[in-house]
Amino acid sequence: MGFFFFASRAAARFLEEIRHPAGVSTAALLLTAASGGGIVAYADSSRAEEASEPSEQVAPRKKKVVVLGTGWAGTSFLKNLDCSRYDVKVISPRNYFAFTPLLPSVTCGTVEARSIVEPIRRMFEKKKKDVTYYEAECFKIDATKKAVHCRSAVGTNLDGNGDFLVDYDYLVVALGATVNTFNTPGVMEHCYFLKEVEDAQKIRRSVVDCFEKASLPNISEEEKRKILHFVIIGGGPTGVEFAAELHDFLVEDLVKIYPAIQEFVKITIIQSGEHILNMFDQRIAEFAETKFLRDGIEVCTGFRVVNVSDDLITMKSKSAGSEISVPYGMAVWSAGIGTRPVTVDFMHQIGQAKRRSLETNEWLRVRECDSVYAIGDCASISQRKIMEDISTIFKIADKDNSGTLTLKEIYDILEDICIRYPQVELYMKSMHMLDIAQLIESAIGDSHKESMVVDIEEFKKALGHVDSQVKSVPATAQVAAQQGYYLADCFNKMDYCKDHPEGPLRMTGSAAGHHNFRPFRYKHLGQFAPLGGEQAAAELPGDWVSMGHSTQWLWYSVYASKQVSWRTRVLVVSDWTRRFIFGRDSSRI
Amino acid sequence: MGFFFFASRAAARFLEEIRHPAGVSTAALLLTAASGGGIVAYADSSRAEEASEPSEQVAPRKKKVVVLGTGWAGTSFLKNLDCSRYDVKVISPRNYFAFTPLLPSVTCGTVEARSIVEPIRRMFEKKKKDVTYYEAECFKIDATKKAVHCRSAVGTNLDGNGDFLVDYDYLVVALGATVNTFNTPGVMEHCYFLKEVEDAQKIRRSVVDCFEKASLPNISEEEKRKILHFVIIGGGPTGVEFAAELHDFLVEDLVKIYPAIQEFVKITIIQSGEHILNMFDQRIAEFAETKFLRDGIEVCTGFRVVNVSDDLITMKSKSAGSEISVPYGMAVWSAGIGTRPVTVDFMHQIGQAKRRSLETNEWLRVRECDSVYAIGDCASISQRKIMEDISTIFKIADKDNSGTLTLKEIYDILEDICIRYPQVELYMKSMHMLDIAQLIESAIGDSHKESMVVDIEEFKKALGHVDSQVKSVPATAQVAAQQGYYLADCFNKMDYCKDHPEGPLRMTGSAAGHHNFRPFRYKHLGQFAPLGGEQAAAELPGDWVSMGHSTQWLWYSVYASKQVSWRTRVLVVSDWTRRFIFGRDSSRI
C-alpha cells in the first residue's frame, strides 16, 4: 500500500500548489534551504502571471505577431506576452521548449530527455492563451512582403506541397543558433554535438555503444583503449559539464557493470585557449583544471583541432605549431555557435551579410528593418556609441544655448544619458568614480566644482573613453530569456507608451521627444559550471565566486526553481532522486 | 524546502526496503489494498533469490552455456540459473530486458520507455552472477560444431571483421519472434509494429506528428480526417490495448491542446475474426466491443487487410468477398508473430523446415538436436501422444505379463501416465470424470469395478480420445517466463537428477527407468486486457472473469508487482502517478 498512498498524498499537495500559486513559491523556499541563505533567486514560472494584466479594450483588428522559434527567447516572449492583444502565430520545428542547460545531464541519463521538455501547446493551454502553433520550419523571411515562408517538419500536405506562407505585422525572430565547425574537415561527419535534445539522446546511446563494443570478444587492448577514448572538443561550460557527467557516469555506474574494461577508459578535453572555462573567473578555471587532473580527465589546452577522421583526431599546438593525431572512440564538438541558413539569407537581404548574427538596436529591433525584432542567440545588440551623438547631446543639454554646459545642465540630462548609453556608468564604475563631476574634472583639470562649465571640446574629451566599455551580451539562455521577457513587455504596453513614452530623450537623428521604451538592459544573475562528483563552481553577481559541494546544492536548487512548469520541475527533481537511489540507466534505447 | 525533504524521506525508505526485502513485499500489500482482497498474486522478483542455492562443489571445467536473447524467456532463465555451476555467455542485440506487456502504454506516454527496461548487466551485477554478455546478434547456429556465429550490433572491430564465433556445451535459444505480415503488400513499408521498445517510441512520435500535421494551415477537412484516422490491424490484446491507450490519450490530453481538430479523429480496429480478443472468454470480448462502441472506436470484424498503400488500406470482407479501401493517417500492424531468419535457418538444418517455430520435447530440448534447448516465442512444445506409446505403456503396466491389466496395475502406473501425458487429466476433466475407472468403464461398458480387467484393445479404446485434448501453449510472456524458470531449474539440478531422477517412467523407445526431470507444465495465471478509461478485463484461473474499474486497479497492482527490479517498479508507478497529475507529454522527441 505504501507507495500508492504516499504518491497520492504528494499528488494532492502538488495539485493544491498548482491551483493556488503563492507569492513565495516552494522553489524559493527550496533555494533558501539549500544555499544556506544569503543569495536571492526567483522562480521564473510565476513571472508571466504577474505581468499579464487583462486587456482593457480589444481592438477591432488585432495586429499579427509571428514568432519564429520555441527556444529560450521565443518561449520567454510568449509566456510574458498578453496574447489577447495580438493575433499570435508561433512557428517552430520543435513543438516543445527544452531546458537546454540540463542537456549535458541528459547525455548520461542523470536526467531524462522528457523531463526537460514542455510542450508549447500545453504552455498556452495552461495560461489560457489563444495562440496558433505550426510545427514547421521557416526557410525564408520576406521582410518586404511582411511574410515568412514555412515548410512542415512532419511531411507534406496531401497535394504534395508542404510549403505555406504566413504574413505578419510584427515578426519576432528567435531562431537560435546552430553548431559552428569552423569548416574543420570531418567534424560534421564524425562528431556528436550538444545543441538539441536529440543530440543528447544520440550521445547517450553512443556512450553505451562504446562500452558494449569494447566488451566484445577478440578486441585487443589497443582497440579497447581507442574505443573508450572520449574526446570533448571545446572547453566551454557545455563541454566541461559533459566531461564531468561522463566521468561521474563512469565511476558511479559503469565500473560496476563493465568491470573488465574500466582501466581502458580515458576522457580528454581539447581547448584552444590557455584555460578551460575561460569566460569564467580565473579561480573557477583553476579549480576545474585541478579537479579534472585529480579525476584523470586530461585537459589539452592550447591545441586547435584541424581534422577529424573516423578514428583519428588531429590537432595543432598553437605555440609549437606541430600536429599530433590521437585515436578516439567518440568525439563531442562543443566549440562555438554559428548562424542558421535562414538567418544568413535574411541578413543578406537587409545588408548585414558580413555579420555573424542579426544586428538589432537597443530595443531589439533589427536595424534597417521595420517591424522585425530579433532575440536570443540569432541576434546581437549593437550599442550606439556616445561619441557618435555627442554634438546632439551637447545641443540638447545646452538649454540656454550658451555654448557651454553647467554642471546643472549636465545633471539634468544625466539620467537620459545613462539609460541610453549604459557604457557611461560602466566606465565610471571601472574608473571608481562616484559622480559625473569626477569624470568631467578628470578631463578639464582642477577647476572648482561649483563654477564648472564645459564647452563642446571639453565635453568630448571627458566622454572620449567611455565607449571602450561597450560590451556585447553573451549568447546564453539567460540573455535570451531576459530579451524575450523585455520584448513582450514592450509589446504589452505598445499602445500606452505611444502616448506616455517611458524611454530616454531621443539623442539620435532629427526626431525630438522621448523614446517609447527604455532600451533593453541585460542583468547578469550569475552562471554555473557543474564539475561532477557533486561539486560545482558558480560566478554570482557582484564578483562572487563559489565552488564545491555546497555550490552543487545551490545548482540543484536554482535549476529546479528555474524549470518552466511544475511538471518538469517534479520530473527533474525525481530524476535526480532516482539517480541517487538507483544510479543511471545503461540500456541502449 | 518541501520537495527535497519529501523526496529524501522517500529515498531513505526505498533504500531500506531494497536492503531488507521482507517476505511480504510492498507489491503484495499494494495488491491487497487495490483489489479489495480475494485474489492472490506474487512478486516475481523474490523468486530468483529463493531458488539460487549456493553450489556445493565447483567442477574443474565448467560446462559452457550460451543463451541467445534477453527477452522474457532468456532473462527468466538467467535470473534463476545458478551461474556458479556454468560458464554462462549471453548474446543479444539488446543489452536490456523490456517489460513488453507495458509496450502499449509506452506508445502514448502513459509510461516512459526507460521505465520498463532494465539493463541485463545490472541484473547480473545485483545478483553477483558471473555472466559474460555480448551485445551482438546471432546470425547462425551451427549445431554440429556446437557453436553460434555472431555479429556485433554496434559496428565492426578495428580489423573490419565484426563477426565472431562462440562455442557451447549447452545452447538455450530464446530468440523470440518477429512480426508476421502474412506477405500482405505494403505492410512492411507503411505500417508501424509493436514488438520492440523502439517500435513503441516510433508510434509515440508518429501519433504526435499526425496531430501536428493536421493542425497546419491550408489543410482541408478531408485531409484532416485522413491524417487523423488511426487504424489498428489485428484485434488481439496488443492491438486492443493500443487502441484503448490512444483513445485515452486523445480524450484526456490531446483534446485540450488540439481543440480545433478533435472532431476529425477516428480510431478503427480491423479484425479478421468474428470478435476482437477472441482468445479471451466471450464475455470479455463482448464487454470490450460494447465499451469501444460507446467510446466511438470502430471495430471492423470479419475483414482481412489485403493491401496497404501510403494513404489507403484495402480490406476484404470474409463473408461478402468484396473489397473496400479506406484512407488513413497511421496504421499499426499487430496481427500475428513470425519466425526470425536465424531460427528459420536453424530449422532447415535440423529438418524442421516446414514448421513455424522450433519443435521441442516436453523437457524443452529441441527435437533431434542434442544440447540445444528452445524457450519462449521461438519454440513450441510438441506433446507426445499417448496412442503412440500405448503398447509400451500396456507392457510396462502389465507386470505379471498376463496380457490384461487389473485396475490395481493401472493405478500403479497412473501417476507416471498423468505426468507424462497431461492430456489424460485434461480429457477426464472435460468429460467430468473423477477417476480413471470411469474412463475405463465408459470404454468397456458396465463391468463390475472390482473385477475389472482390460486387454490391450480395450485399453486402447479407453484412451482413444484422450489425445484430442493435447493443447499447445500460447506465445505469451507468461509462458516464456515459466519456461525459462523451469529450464534453469533443470540446469541447476542436472548433476543431482542424473543419480536421483525426478521424472516419470520412460514409456517411449527402448530405454528403461525414469526420466531425469518432470516435463514442463504451463500454469496459466490469468490474462489482462486493459480497455482504457481506467477499465480493464481479466481472465483469471478457474474460469473467473473480472471486468471494470476494479480490474484496472488489479492490473496496476499485478503489473507493478511483476516488474523485474525495484528500480523499474518505482519508475513505472511514478509514471502512472505523473500521468494522473500532469497528463501525458506530447513533445515530439
Side-chain angles (χ1 to χ4, degrees):
Chain A
M1 178 160 168
F3 193 82
F4 256 95
F5 179 66
F6 150 84
S8 59
R9 268 185 56 186
R13 188 155 144 209
F14 286 135
L15 282 173
E16 207 172 276
E17 278 175 343
I18 292 159
R19 283 186 201 120
H20 312 287
V24 180
S25 73
T26 319
L29 283 170
L30 187 74
L31 176 70
T32 320
S35 67
I39 293 135
V40 182
Y42 63 93
D44 217 16
S45 57
S46 57
R47 255 188 166 185
E49 276 128 323
E50 289 159 25
S52 62
E53 321 129 56
S55 62
E56 304 92 67
Q57 197 116 24
V58 180
R61 142 79 164 98
K62 290 183 192 172
K63 297 254 181 166
K64 293 176 193 162
V65 175
V66 170
V67 182
L68 303 179
T70 50
W72 279 96
T75 308
S76 170
F77 174 80
L78 289 164
K79 276 184 81 173
N80 193 34
L81 186 70
D82 178 359
C83 293
S84 63
R85 290 171 185 267
Y86 297 97
D87 172 10
V88 186
K89 287 197 174 74
V90 185
I91 298 159
S92 167
R94 300 180 312 181
N95 75 352
Y96 54 85
F97 163 78
F99 191 86
T100 47
L102 282 177
L103 273 187
S105 299
V106 172
T107 55
C108 297
T110 308
V111 168
E112 288 302 323
R114 221 164 260 282
S115 305
I116 65 164
V117 302
E118 180 74 9
I120 283 293
R121 289 177 187 274
R122 182 193 289 265
M123 283 189 195
F124 304 147
E125 189 251 326
K126 271 168 61 189
K127 305 254 180 230
K128 307 250 176 293
K129 292 196 174 186
D130 185 20
V131 172
T132 307
Y133 168 77
Y134 297 143
E135 191 180 89
E137 192 156 355
C138 166
F139 65 94
K140 192 173 180 64
I141 299 168
D142 190 338
T144 48
K145 286 188 187 155
K146 284 199 163 192
V148 289
H149 294 261
C150 304
R151 190 168 289 150
S152 160
V154 285
T156 57
N157 303 357
L158 277 190
D159 61 359
N161 177 17
D163 298 357
F164 57 94
L165 202 72
V166 181
D167 56 344
Y168 63 82
D169 294 309
Y170 299 111
L171 179 67
V172 178
V173 182
L175 289 160
T178 180
V179 293
N180 192 351
T181 65
F182 305 108
N183 294 320
T184 313
V187 171
M188 269 298 169
E189 297 85 344
H190 303 297
C191 287
Y192 290 84
F193 302 98
L194 202 36
K195 284 285 301 168
E196 309 281 343
V197 177
E198 285 88 348
D199 294 339
Q201 289 175 310
K202 270 187 215 156
I203 290 179
R204 182 170 184 181
R205 267 191 295 273
S206 177
V207 170
V208 176
D209 273 356
C210 287
F211 277 86
E212 289 295 355
K213 202 168 162 182
S215 305
L216 290 173
N218 318 328
I219 303 260
S220 70
E221 287 205 359
E222 184 205 339
E223 283 171 305
K224 285 183 190 181
R225 263 180 233 288
K226 172 194 164 292
I227 294 167
L228 295 175
H229 187 202
F230 299 93
V231 179
I232 294 114
I233 304 156
T238 311
V240 164
E241 192 178 344
F242 170 63
E245 279 284 344
L246 188 61
H247 181 260
D248 280 0
F249 191 23
L250 176 71
V251 298
E252 290 169 15
D253 299 279
L254 296 183
V255 291
K256 288 185 215 150
I257 54 178
Y258 300 89
I261 51 170
Q262 62 175 105
E263 57 179 307
F264 303 110
V265 183
K266 194 179 159 193
I267 302 171
T268 304
I269 301 174
I270 302 174
Q271 162 75 333
S272 58
E274 283 301 292
H275 289 284
I276 56 171
L277 298 176
N278 52 15
M279 66 293 296
F280 280 85
D281 191 284
Q282 176 79 14
R283 286 166 289 177
I284 289 179
E286 275 164 18
F287 180 80
E289 283 172 6
T290 315
K291 184 179 180 304
F292 283 181
L293 187 68
R294 214 165 46 227
D295 288 346
I297 300 174
E298 192 170 339
V299 179
C300 295
T301 53
F303 277 96
R304 198 166 53 82
V305 171
V306 291
N307 189 62
V308 180
S309 77
D310 60 349
D311 58 355
L312 282 180
I313 289 178
T314 309
M315 51 189 177
K316 197 171 180 174
S317 164
K318 283 177 110 175
S319 53
S322 56
E323 284 192 5
I324 40 169
S325 293
V326 283
Y328 76 100
M330 185 189 164
V332 174
W333 180 270
S334 68
I337 57 169
T339 324
R340 286 190 186 277
V342 55
T343 317
V344 172
D345 174 83
F346 182 52
M347 281 157 61
H348 268 94
Q349 284 179 51
I350 57 171
Q352 297 192 2
K354 284 182 185 161
R355 295 181 50 86
R356 278 169 51 190
S357 54
L358 274 170
E359 185 186 6
T360 71
N361 67 13
E362 299 87 336
W363 291 267
L364 310 183
R365 193 173 57 71
V366 175
R367 286 212 185 272
E368 327 303 340
C369 199
D370 233 20
S371 314
V372 181
Y373 299 82
I375 50 180
D377 287 2
C378 67
S380 57
I381 302 164
S382 74
Q383 171 63 47
R384 183 86 183 172
K385 299 216 164 55
I386 199 165
M387 290 310 280
E388 295 176 86
D389 304 326
I390 196 85
S391 311
T392 321
I393 296 168
F394 191 88
K395 249 182 244 162
I396 296 170
D398 187 16
K399 281 179 190 154
D400 56 2
N401 280 317
S402 63
T404 54
L405 296 184
T406 63
L407 205 53
K408 191 185 167 297
E409 280 175 323
I410 293 174
Y411 277 129
D412 282 347
I413 201 175
L414 186 62
E415 199 193 336
D416 288 290
I417 290 178
C418 287
I419 292 171
R420 185 71 185 82
Y421 308 95
Q423 58 266 43
V424 175
E425 271 186 307
L426 288 173
Y427 181 77
M428 293 203 307
K429 207 174 157 194
S430 76
M431 304 299 283
H432 307 285
M433 293 171 176
L434 295 168
D435 191 351
I436 188 92
Q438 278 183 291
L439 185 66
I440 307 282
E441 249 174 77
S442 71
I444 60 168
D446 49 357
S447 316
H448 273 285
K449 203 179 165 188
E450 290 73 34
S451 63
M452 196 158 63
V453 288
V454 287
D455 62 17
I456 178 81
E457 288 311 315
E458 285 165 333
F459 191 59
K460 277 184 185 171
K461 197 181 166 197
L463 296 169
H465 298 291
V466 162
D467 287 330
S468 64
Q469 291 295 319
V470 170
K471 274 181 186 160
S472 63
V473 292
T476 63
Q478 206 175 133
V479 171
Q482 290 185 23
Q483 289 183 339
Y485 183 87
Y486 164 85
L487 191 63
D489 213 35
C490 295
F491 270 75
N492 291 346
K493 56 191 181 191
M494 201 177 272
D495 292 334
Y496 176 83
C497 286
K498 250 177 207 151
D499 307 323
H500 309 85
E502 289 180 351
L505 269 173
R506 291 180 194 270
M507 305 182 201
T508 334
S510 53
H514 284 256
H515 287 279
N516 285 357
F517 309 107
R518 292 168 72 103
F520 170 74
R521 187 81 74 87
Y522 170 58
K523 194 166 170 234
H524 187 62
L525 297 173
Q527 198 175 0
F528 282 97
L531 300 171
E534 295 302 312
Q535 295 197 57
E539 208 175 59
L540 300 162
D543 281 337
W544 273 32
V545 165
S546 162
M547 287 171 288
H549 293 284
S550 59
T551 314
Q552 179 70 21
W553 283 98
L554 179 64
W555 182 88
Y556 282 128
S557 325
V558 172
Y559 275 45
S561 75
K562 290 279 188 180
Q563 289 302 313
V564 83
S565 76
W566 270 104
R567 196 186 66 88
T568 57
R569 191 167 298 135
V570 169
L571 290 182
V572 164
V573 174
S574 64
D575 279 353
W576 286 333
T577 317
R578 167 185 55 69
R579 200 267 293 173
F580 274 113
I581 304 170
F582 300 110
R584 300 168 184 87
D585 182 28
S586 64
S587 306
R588 189 178 170 263
I589 59 163
Chain B
M1 176 158 171
F3 193 81
F4 256 94
F5 179 65
F6 150 85
S8 58
R9 265 185 57 186
R13 191 156 144 207
F14 286 140
L15 281 172
E16 205 172 277
E17 279 177 341
I18 293 157
R19 284 191 200 117
H20 312 286
V24 182
S25 73
T26 318
L29 283 170
L30 187 75
L31 176 71
T32 321
S35 67
I39 293 132
V40 182
Y42 63 92
D44 215 18
S45 59
S46 57
R47 257 187 165 183
E49 276 131 322
E50 289 160 23
S52 63
E53 322 129 53
S55 63
E56 306 92 66
Q57 198 116 24
V58 180
R61 141 84 162 97
K62 290 184 193 172
K63 296 253 182 169
K64 292 176 194 162
V65 175
V66 169
V67 183
L68 303 179
T70 51
W72 278 96
T75 307
S76 170
F77 175 79
L78 289 163
K79 275 183 82 173
N80 192 34
L81 186 69
D82 178 358
C83 293
S84 62
R85 290 170 185 268
Y86 297 97
D87 173 9
V88 186
K89 287 197 173 76
V90 186
I91 298 158
S92 167
R94 300 180 312 181
N95 75 353
Y96 54 84
F97 163 78
F99 191 87
T100 47
L102 283 177
L103 274 187
S105 300
V106 173
T107 56
C108 297
T110 309
V111 167
E112 288 302 323
R114 220 164 261 283
S115 305
I116 65 163
V117 301
E118 180 73 10
I120 283 292
R121 290 176 186 274
R122 183 194 288 267
M123 284 189 194
F124 303 148
E125 188 250 324
K126 270 167 63 189
K127 303 255 180 230
K128 307 250 177 292
K129 292 193 175 188
D130 186 19
V131 173
T132 307
Y133 168 78
Y134 297 142
E135 191 179 270
E137 193 156 357
C138 166
F139 64 94
K140 192 172 181 62
I141 298 168
D142 191 338
T144 47
K145 286 191 186 154
K146 287 201 161 191
V148 290
H149 294 261
C150 304
R151 190 168 289 151
S152 160
V154 285
T156 56
N157 303 356
L158 277 192
D159 61 0
N161 177 16
D163 298 358
F164 57 93
L165 202 73
V166 180
D167 56 345
Y168 63 81
D169 294 310
Y170 299 111
L171 179 68
V172 178
V173 183
L175 290 160
T178 180
V179 293
N180 192 353
T181 66
F182 305 108
N183 293 321
T184 313
V187 171
M188 268 298 169
E189 297 85 344
H190 303 298
C191 288
Y192 290 85
F193 302 97
L194 203 36
K195 285 283 304 165
E196 309 282 343
V197 177
E198 286 88 349
D199 294 339
Q201 289 176 310
K202 270 187 215 156
I203 290 178
R204 182 170 185 180
R205 266 191 296 269
S206 177
V207 170
V208 176
D209 273 355
C210 287
F211 278 85
E212 289 296 355
K213 203 167 159 182
S215 305
L216 290 174
N218 317 328
I219 303 262
S220 71
E221 286 204 2
E222 184 205 339
E223 284 172 305
K224 283 182 191 179
R225 263 180 235 288
K226 173 196 163 291
I227 293 167
L228 295 174
H229 186 202
F230 299 92
V231 179
I232 294 114
I233 305 156
T238 309
V240 164
E241 192 177 344
F242 170 62
E245 278 284 345
L246 188 60
H247 181 260
D248 280 0
F249 190 23
L250 175 71
V251 297
E252 290 170 15
D253 300 280
L254 296 182
V255 292
K256 289 185 215 151
I257 53 177
Y258 300 91
I261 51 170
Q262 61 175 106
E263 58 179 306
F264 304 110
V265 184
K266 194 178 159 196
I267 303 171
T268 305
I269 301 175
I270 302 175
Q271 161 75 333
S272 59
E274 284 299 294
H275 289 284
I276 57 170
L277 297 177
N278 52 14
M279 66 293 296
F280 280 85
D281 191 284
Q282 176 79 16
R283 287 167 288 177
I284 288 178
E286 277 164 18
F287 180 80
E289 283 172 6
T290 315
K291 183 178 182 302
F292 282 180
L293 186 69
R294 216 166 43 229
D295 288 345
I297 300 174
E298 192 171 337
V299 179
C300 295
T301 53
F303 276 96
R304 198 165 53 82
V305 170
V306 290
N307 189 62
V308 180
S309 77
D310 61 348
D311 59 353
L312 284 179
I313 289 178
T314 310
M315 51 188 177
K316 197 172 182 173
S317 164
K318 283 177 110 175
S319 52
S322 57
E323 283 192 4
I324 39 168
S325 293
V326 284
Y328 76 99
M330 184 190 163
V332 174
W333 181 271
S334 68
I337 57 168
T339 324
R340 286 190 186 276
V342 54
T343 317
V344 172
D345 174 83
F346 182 51
M347 280 156 63
H348 269 93
Q349 285 179 48
I350 57 170
Q352 297 191 1
K354 284 181 185 163
R355 295 181 51 85
R356 278 170 48 191
S357 54
L358 275 169
E359 184 186 8
T360 71
N361 67 13
E362 298 88 335
W363 290 266
L364 309 183
R365 194 173 56 72
V366 176
R367 285 210 185 275
E368 328 304 339
C369 199
D370 233 20
S371 314
V372 180
Y373 299 83
I375 50 180
D377 286 2
C378 68
S380 58
I381 302 165
S382 74
Q383 170 63 46
R384 183 85 183 173
K385 298 215 165 55
I386 198 166
M387 291 311 282
E388 295 177 87
D389 304 326
I390 195 84
S391 310
T392 321
I393 296 169
F394 191 86
K395 249 182 241 161
I396 295 171
D398 187 16
K399 280 182 190 152
D400 56 2
N401 278 320
S402 62
T404 56
L405 296 183
T406 63
L407 204 54
K408 189 185 169 294
E409 279 174 324
I410 293 175
Y411 277 131
D412 281 347
I413 202 175
L414 187 62
E415 198 193 337
D416 287 292
I417 291 177
C418 287
I419 292 171
R420 185 69 186 84
Y421 307 97
Q423 59 264 45
V424 174
E425 269 187 307
L426 289 173
Y427 182 76
M428 295 201 309
K429 207 174 159 195
S430 75
M431 304 300 282
H432 304 289
M433 293 170 175
L434 296 168
D435 191 351
I436 188 93
Q438 278 183 288
L439 184 66
I440 307 282
E441 250 174 76
S442 71
I444 60 169
D446 50 358
S447 316
H448 272 285
K449 203 180 168 190
E450 288 75 33
S451 64
M452 195 161 65
V453 287
V454 285
D455 62 17
I456 178 81
E457 290 310 316
E458 286 165 332
F459 193 58
K460 277 183 184 171
K461 197 182 165 198
L463 295 169
H465 298 291
V466 161
D467 287 330
S468 64
Q469 290 296 319
V470 169
K471 273 181 187 156
S472 63
V473 291
T476 63
Q478 207 177 131
V479 170
Q482 289 185 21
Q483 289 183 339
Y485 184 86
Y486 164 85
L487 191 62
D489 213 35
C490 295
F491 270 75
N492 291 345
K493 56 192 181 191
M494 202 177 270
D495 292 334
Y496 177 82
C497 286
K498 251 180 207 150
D499 306 324
H500 309 85
E502 286 180 354
L505 269 173
R506 290 181 194 269
M507 304 181 202
T508 334
S510 52
H514 283 258
H515 288 279
N516 285 356
F517 309 107
R518 293 169 73 102
F520 170 75
R521 187 81 75 86
Y522 170 56
K523 194 166 171 233
H524 187 61
L525 297 172
Q527 198 174 359
F528 282 97
L531 300 171
E534 295 301 310
Q535 294 196 56
E539 209 177 56
L540 300 162
D543 282 336
W544 273 32
V545 165
S546 162
M547 287 172 290
H549 292 283
S550 60
T551 313
Q552 179 71 20
W553 282 99
L554 178 63
W555 181 88
Y556 282 128
S557 325
V558 171
Y559 275 46
S561 75
K562 290 277 188 182
Q563 290 301 315
V564 83
S565 76
W566 270 104
R567 197 185 65 89
T568 56
R569 191 166 296 135
V570 169
L571 291 182
V572 164
V573 174
S574 65
D575 280 353
W576 287 333
T577 316
R578 168 184 55 69
R579 199 267 293 171
F580 274 113
I581 306 171
F582 300 110
R584 299 168 184 86
D585 182 28
S586 64
S587 306
R588 188 178 174 261
I589 61 162

